[in-house]
Amino acid sequence: MTAPTASTRRRPPLVLRNRTFGTVWLGQVLTQAAVRMFQVGISWWLVSDAASGAGGFAAGLFMAVSTLPAVVLAPLVARAIARFAHRSLLRTAAGGAGAAAAALAVWAGASDLPVAAAYAAALALATCQAFFDPCLTTSVPELVDDEDIEAATGFELSTQSLASLGGALLGALVVDGAGVAGLAVGCAAAYATAALLITAARFRTAAPGPAAGPAASPTADADAAPEGATADAGAAVAQAPAPRRNLRRILGSLPYVRGILLCFTAANLFTTAVFVVMPLYTASVLHGDGATVALLEASLGAGTLVGSFTGARVPGRPAVVGTACLGTMAVALAVPGLIAARPVIAGALLVTGWCVGVIGVRFVALFQRLVPPADKPAFFAVMQAVLGATFPVASLLFGFLGDHLSAQTLCLVQAAGLVPAALALALLPGPTGPAAGPGSGAAEQDAGHDPCAGAPSGPPPAPTPAGGAR
C-alpha cells in the first residue's frame, strides 16, 4: 500500500489553488461586506441621529426595506439565473449596486440627506444583492471541480461571516467619523472592485445535454477554450436542456427540506431581530457609541466565521446539531437580557454567531445532496426568500416594540422564541421515500464531512444557496 504523500495530506486552501474561485469569492466578500457595512451604519445613524424619538421603528423599517427584494423578487431572480450567463449577471449586480452607492454619496455630500433617500438606497443595494448571492451559489460548479464543491461551500458560507465581521465593524465607526457620505463612498468602492474582479474571472462551461450538472463536465475550463469563446456564451446553453419545475412543486417534492426551511424561517423571526436590538441596546442600556456597536457586531461576525469553518467537524446528524445549536442560541441571547456588561454580551454574541455558522454549513451541505440539479436555480432563490421572509416582519415588530419595551426585555423575547423552533426541528422526520432523492439515506451523515478533506463518500454534491440560517 502506497503511503500518502505530503501534498495529498495537506493541500493549499481552495482560494489559493483555484485562482478563478478565489477571485470570485473575493468579489462576494466585498459585496456582502459593503451591504452589511451600509446596513449597520445607517441603522446606527437612524438610532443615534436622524430619527430621534422613534429610532427603534425607524431602524426596524430600514432593515425591513433592506430585506424585501430577496423575498419579493425570488421568482424573477430564479428566472434570471436560469436564463442569463452567470458571470454577466454577477457583474451587472455588483456594478448596479456600486452606481447606487455612488449616487447616494454625491447626494449626502452635497446636502443634508433625508431619511427616505437612505431607504431608497438600501432598497437598491438589496435588490442587486438578491441577484448576486444565489447566482454565485449556482455558479459553483463553473468555478471548481466536483471534489472541491464542499470546500467551496465552506468558503462561500464564510463570506457572510467575513462581511459581518468587516462590514459591521466599520459601519458605525465610519458613520461616526465621516457621516453617511463617507459610508456611501466606501460601499461604492467595494462594489466597483467586486465588479472588476468578476469581469476578470473565467467561468467554466458545462457540456450540453441531459446530464449537464456538477458531474457532467468538471474540467471544462473556459480558459482553455479557443480565443473569442467566453464562459458567458455557454452558460445559458449548458442549463437549457434540463426541465425545471416551479417553486411549489420543488418544495412539494422535498418534504424534509421544506420542513427544515420552515423551522429555520420560524427561528429567523427571532434571531435576525438582533440587528435591530443591538443598536437599541447600545444606545439605551450601554449608553455607548459607534465603537460599542462595532464591538457587538464584530463579536457576532467572528463567531459566525469560526462556526463556518468548524461546523463540518461537529459530530452528529444535522437535525441533532441544529437542535442543539438553536437551544444554545436561546441561552446566549437571553444573557444580555439579564446581564448588562459589554464583555459578557460580546461573549454571548460570539456563541450565537458560532451556532449560526455551524447550522449554515451542516444544512447547506445536506441540501447539496437532496436538491436535484435541474431545480437548483429556483431552489436557491426560494431558499433565500423563505429564510428571509421573516426578516422584514422581525425588523418592523422588534423595531416597534423597541419604542415601548426595554432592549433587555427584547433579548428575552428573542430567546424564548427560539425554543419552539428547536423542538420542531428535533421532531422533524428524516428524508424517506422517493421524494428524498437518490442516495439521500446517507445524506445527513455525509453533510458532516470535512469540507477540506476531499470528496465525500456520498452521492455527488450539487451547489447550494449561500447564507444558511441567516
Side-chain angles (χ1 to χ4, degrees):
M1 183 173 63
T2 304
T5 63
S7 60
T8 301
R9 291 194 305 266
R10 183 176 299 173
R11 293 198 298 170
L14 180 61
V15 292
L16 297 181
R17 53 187 166 86
N18 185 326
R19 289 184 299 174
T20 298
F21 177 77
T23 299
V24 177
W25 176 75
L26 181 57
Q28 186 189 29
V29 172
L30 289 172
T31 61
Q32 291 195 349
V35 74
R36 190 76 190 99
M37 180 171 70
F38 186 80
Q39 290 174 354
V40 173
I42 297 298
S43 294
W44 177 242
W45 175 67
L46 291 171
V47 170
S48 63
D49 182 31
S52 57
F57 182 76
L61 179 60
F62 171 77
M63 294 304 295
V65 168
S66 298
T67 55
L68 278 177
V71 178
V72 176
L73 299 179
L76 179 61
V77 170
R79 289 195 295 269
I81 294 173
R83 178 179 179 182
F84 296 106
H86 294 158
R87 185 174 68 168
S88 296
L89 190 58
L90 291 170
R91 181 175 55 219
T92 301
L104 183 70
V106 172
W107 191 344
S111 61
D112 291 337
L113 188 72
V115 172
Y119 288 165
L123 188 63
L125 298 187
T127 298
C128 294
Q129 203 69 38
F131 284 89
F132 191 98
D133 289 337
C135 182
L136 180 57
T137 305
T138 311
S139 304
V140 167
E142 301 170 35
L143 303 171
V144 303
D145 292 331
D146 183 73
E147 63 268 19
D148 288 328
I149 286 181
E150 280 204 342
T153 300
F155 274 104
E156 196 181 357
L157 288 176
S158 72
T159 303
Q160 184 185 349
S161 311
L162 289 172
S164 294
L165 182 59
L169 183 63
L170 293 174
L173 293 177
V174 171
V175 166
D176 277 353
V180 176
L183 179 71
V185 168
C187 292
Y191 281 119
T193 303
L196 292 175
L197 289 172
I198 298 297
T199 301
R202 290 277 187 170
F203 283 44
R204 299 176 178 182
T205 57
S217 179
T219 58
D221 198 331
D223 288 339
E227 186 172 356
T230 65
D232 288 355
V237 175
Q239 299 176 43
R244 293 181 177 85
R245 299 177 291 174
N246 60 36
L247 304 181
R248 179 178 298 178
R249 289 187 176 183
I250 292 173
L251 293 181
S253 66
L254 299 168
Y256 184 54
V257 172
R258 184 179 66 240
I260 292 172
L261 290 181
L262 290 176
C263 288
F264 285 122
T265 298
N268 278 1
L269 179 62
F270 300 94
T271 57
T272 55
V274 71
F275 299 117
V276 175
V277 174
M278 273 193 290
L280 294 174
Y281 196 98
T282 299
S284 63
V285 179
L286 299 179
H287 305 291
D289 54 9
T292 304
V293 177
L295 170 65
L296 301 184
E297 294 276 0
S299 298
L300 185 65
T304 311
L305 180 62
V306 174
S308 296
F309 282 109
T310 61
R313 296 175 174 83
V314 177
R317 295 184 297 108
V320 175
V321 173
T323 300
C325 285
L326 287 178
T328 303
M329 289 171 64
V331 175
L333 289 175
V335 170
L338 303 173
I339 305 173
R342 283 179 177 83
V344 175
I345 298 169
L349 291 174
L350 189 71
V351 173
T352 300
W354 181 83
C355 292
V356 170
V358 171
I359 287 173
V361 169
R362 295 303 298 272
F363 283 93
V364 167
L366 178 63
F367 294 163
Q368 285 179 330
R369 292 172 172 83
L370 297 182
V371 179
D375 293 333
K376 290 180 297 186
F379 177 77
F380 299 156
V382 77
M383 178 178 178
Q384 180 176 336
V386 169
L387 291 177
T390 55
F391 202 113
V393 178
S395 299
L396 291 173
L397 175 61
F398 279 83
F400 173 78
L401 292 177
D403 291 331
H404 299 83
L405 301 176
S406 70
Q408 287 180 290
T409 301
L410 295 182
C411 294
L412 296 177
V413 172
Q414 285 184 271
L418 288 177
V419 176
L423 294 176
L425 184 61
L427 299 175
L428 193 66
T432 57
S440 64
E444 281 201 277
Q445 294 296 339
D446 289 337
H449 182 79
D450 186 346
C452 300
S457 59
T464 59
R470 301 180 71 172

